[in-house]
Amino acid sequence: MEMNEPMASYHIWTVGCQMNKADSDRLASALEQLGYTFTPRADEADIVALNSCVVRQGAEDKVTARLDSLKGWRRARPEGTLALMGCMVATRTEALQERFPHVDYFMRPQEFMPLVEFAAERQGMACDVDLALLVPRRPQVSTFVPVIHGCDEFCTFCIVPYRRGRERSRPIPELVREAELLAERGVKEVILLGQIVDRYGHDLPEKPDLADMLEAVCAVEGVERLRFLTSHPRDMSQRVIDAVARLEKVCEWINLPFQAGDNKVLASMRRPYHIEEYVELVGRIRATVPGVAISTDVIVGFCGETEEQFQRTVEVLEELRFDVVHAAPYSTRSGTIAARNLTDDVPPQEKRRRMQVIEELQERIATELNTRLLGLRVEVLVESRQRGRWTGRSRTNKPVFFDDDRDWTGRLVEVEVTHTSPWSLQGRLLDGALPGSIILSRMLPEQESSVGHIPLIPV
Ligand code: SF4
């Protein structure tokens, strides 16, 4: 690949989950290696890509507003290129083309190669795409790696399977190679992504599972920590739980959505488990993985959810005392099974009230869990400096802040916790960085709380 026109620029705007963020990073990497430079101003870019999300109405509205705002840019720069990618783009694009005629490319999730090929041609370059082209050149200390795309599940409320297609796992050697490239470029923590990450491998010829893949990526020198999300309760096998307990690089943190505490509501959501099985699973994870933090996702006010059924969700939250709860009020997504067959009959003000009940409950639980950490030491992977303070995450995905004049970016340090809030920890740096590749064994107490990345499936 030869560069002969290095001044072209691109702008990527992203909403939605970590999978979108990972896609945007990969597209950015490809464009940069084709000689494009990032510009924070869309109106100055030669190529603009909007990476969209339609899981909630609010996200879709943002994308629509952003697309409309670019009509003026398109008129002023007819030679510019505008691409819409991500979950707003279904298999058929006629309706989108009619609604947004100023868009040049409509690309489904992960399917951004037409834009990369166009960008290469525009630069007069060949486009021999390989993995290295897509791995970010300057990745963040903690970087997302999609390991399984799509979802075969069809929960009644969810649009994802219609937009991201059937499940497709990436082979282990490809993931190991990507982790090696990332480690060479300074990445210390890899976050393995899937809509249902614990279904990893079932579609591959050798049928490896998530435990096999975790073991393989753990062997990559330079990668100090691994995380994975999002898990499905039905697919969380004892083998995977044992791997989390056994593999030192795998952090003690699992995101395990339960969505509702009532079995009838779960059935109408097409969630294939009973709440009793979920409670048993959480108990087994906690018994197997010392100090594990578990976060969850909950939908409030799903079609037909009575007050009594909502109270079952509250009871589960009280009983299991999650480290983090991602709660969202139900909203109908056009094209889903629920939109076709169920009635969104819980009034908006009642949904808001139920949300408030959960938020207040979780704030109390998180406060109690975090207070227990006062005076204890946590291992922190330092990610960046924000407003003069170093910030990173504990192994249980809790944001930790501390002060120090030296540069700790990408280093593992030990911090003594001096202040806590429901959402983060503050502390005092102890004894400088931990030696290069040494990973501390489980030193966190049981029930450490975690406040982390937004869930992959924001429902
Ligand atoms: S909620 Fe998750 S498991 Fe269910 S259909 Fe959506 S992506 Fe798949």
Side-chain angles (χ1 to χ4, degrees):
M1 198 175 286
E2 286 174 30
M3 295 201 307
N4 57 11
E5 197 180 328
M7 296 310 291
S9 61
Y10 75 95
H11 176 88
I12 300 178
W13 178 87
T14 308
V15 286
C17 66
Q18 294 95 334
M19 198 67 95
N20 269 12
K21 167 87 172 64
D23 284 351
S24 293
D25 286 350
R26 293 161 86 82
L27 173 61
S29 176
L31 293 175
E32 290 193 9
Q33 292 178 60
L34 292 166
Y36 290 77
T37 53
F38 174 75
T39 170
R41 293 192 50 169
D43 58 350
E44 290 177 352
D46 297 300
I47 291 179
V48 177
L50 305 187
N51 200 350
S52 62
C53 172
V54 291
V55 167
R56 294 203 193 113
Q57 188 62 48
E60 187 168 350
D61 291 347
K62 269 192 203 165
V63 181
T64 305
R66 189 81 177 157
L67 279 167
D68 287 340
S69 77
L70 286 166
K71 282 180 178 157
W73 164 83
R74 197 68 176 83
R75 276 193 297 274
R77 297 192 69 166
E79 77 289 358
T81 301
L82 177 58
L84 176 66
M85 58 193 277
C87 286
M88 200 159 160
V89 184
T91 317
R92 297 175 66 93
T93 58
E94 291 85 347
L96 283 174
Q97 282 174 21
E98 204 168 307
R99 195 167 161 205
F100 305 110
H102 59 305
V103 174
D104 301 290
Y105 288 90
F106 294 94
M107 306 180 300
R108 298 189 70 199
Q110 284 97 49
E111 295 179 5
F112 50 75
M113 284 318 293
L115 183 63
V116 175
E117 280 158 12
F118 162 80
E121 197 182 311
R122 191 179 175 281
Q123 294 286 76
M125 297 164 69
C127 183
D128 309 322
V129 174
D130 61 14
L131 190 59
L133 180 70
L134 297 178
V135 172
R137 268 186 178 173
R138 289 177 297 281
Q140 293 175 336
V141 170
S142 176
T143 291
F144 299 117
V145 173
V147 300
I148 175 168
H149 296 297
C151 177
D152 294 349
E153 207 44 39
F154 294 92
C155 299
T156 55
F157 52 81
C158 185
I159 192 70
V160 167
Y162 302 92
R163 299 302 163 91
R164 291 192 172 266
R166 303 301 300 261
E167 291 166 4
R168 288 112 43 218
S169 302
R170 297 173 63 196
I172 287 180
E174 184 179 307
L175 296 172
V176 167
R177 181 70 193 121
E178 182 159 337
E180 287 169 348
L181 283 167
L182 288 170
E184 282 167 20
R185 296 173 192 185
V187 169
K188 293 293 189 322
E189 177 178 271
V190 172
I191 305 175
L192 306 162
L193 295 181
Q195 306 297 146
I196 306 183
V197 72
D198 44 351
R199 277 171 72 95
Y200 173 81
H202 73 93
D203 54 324
L204 292 173
E206 314 264 294
K207 304 216 177 306
D209 68 2
L210 178 60
D212 296 319
M213 191 259 284
L214 287 171
E215 185 140 11
V217 181
C218 273
V220 174
E221 207 176 313
V223 172
E224 311 262 16
R225 284 180 170 184
L226 286 182
R227 303 186 189 278
F228 58 88
L229 79 161
T230 284
S231 300
H232 192 295
R234 190 218 25 229
D235 296 296
M236 178 54 61
S237 67
Q238 189 58 41
R239 202 162 177 276
V240 169
I241 300 169
D242 290 340
V244 176
R246 176 170 46 87
L247 298 168
E248 291 213 328
K249 290 186 182 179
V250 178
C251 291
E252 302 81 16
W253 176 70
I254 294 177
N255 188 57
L256 196 67
F258 75 94
Q259 307 298 11
D262 180 84
N263 285 333
K264 273 197 181 147
V265 177
L266 286 173
S268 95
M269 290 175 165
R270 270 183 110 241
R271 299 290 290 184
Y273 49 84
H274 290 145
I275 196 63
E276 295 78 11
E277 293 167 314
Y278 181 89
V279 171
E280 185 275 332
L281 174 61
V282 169
R284 201 150 35 86
I285 292 170
R286 286 181 170 156
T288 310
V289 186
V292 69
I294 302 179
S295 57
T296 197
D297 304 355
V298 164
I299 295 174
V300 170
F302 187 63
C303 309
E305 184 188 66
T306 63
E307 174 60 20
E308 201 184 346
Q309 289 169 330
F310 168 67
Q311 282 305 323
R312 298 220 173 86
T313 297
V314 174
E315 284 162 20
V316 172
L317 296 175
E318 288 267 23
E319 180 182 347
L320 296 183
R321 291 170 64 81
F322 292 97
D323 301 274
V324 177
V325 175
H326 309 284
Y330 173 70
S331 67
T332 306
R333 306 309 296 134
S334 159
T336 59
I337 299 169
R340 286 194 296 277
N341 300 337
L342 301 172
T343 307
D344 179 12
D345 54 0
V346 178
Q349 68 273 22
E350 176 58 15
K351 286 179 187 165
R352 280 197 292 278
R353 188 195 66 80
R354 293 181 191 181
M355 282 292 293
Q356 198 178 345
V357 169
I358 287 182
E359 283 162 5
E360 286 173 6
L361 170 63
Q362 186 56 26
E363 184 166 343
R364 173 172 62 73
I365 291 172
T367 300
E368 290 166 7
L369 293 176
N370 284 3
T371 304
R372 294 184 187 184
L373 296 175
L374 275 172
L376 296 174
R377 299 171 167 205
V378 292
E379 180 200 283
V380 178
L381 175 61
V382 183
E383 294 176 20
S384 63
R385 196 165 186 151
Q386 289 177 10
R387 289 187 226 113
R389 310 203 74 191
W390 290 107
T391 175
R393 286 176 187 272
S394 72
R395 289 181 63 92
T396 51
N397 209 32
K398 185 184 306 296
V400 183
F401 298 88
F402 66 91
D403 295 314
D404 198 82
D405 291 337
R406 291 162 290 176
D407 184 358
W408 294 106
T409 313
R411 309 284 293 276
L412 281 173
V413 299
E414 212 177 351
V415 170
E416 181 187 311
V417 179
T418 54
H419 294 89
T420 65
S421 80
W423 325 119
S424 65
L425 306 177
Q426 295 179 43
R428 182 172 68 85
L429 183 68
L430 295 171
D431 304 324
L434 300 169
S437 60
I438 291 181
I439 305 299
L440 290 187
S441 59
R442 274 59 169 167
M443 60 184 184
L444 301 176
E446 281 194 27
Q447 287 281 9
E448 183 186 343
S449 168
S450 152
V451 176
H453 298 274
I454 58 165
L456 182 60
I457 317 298
V459 288

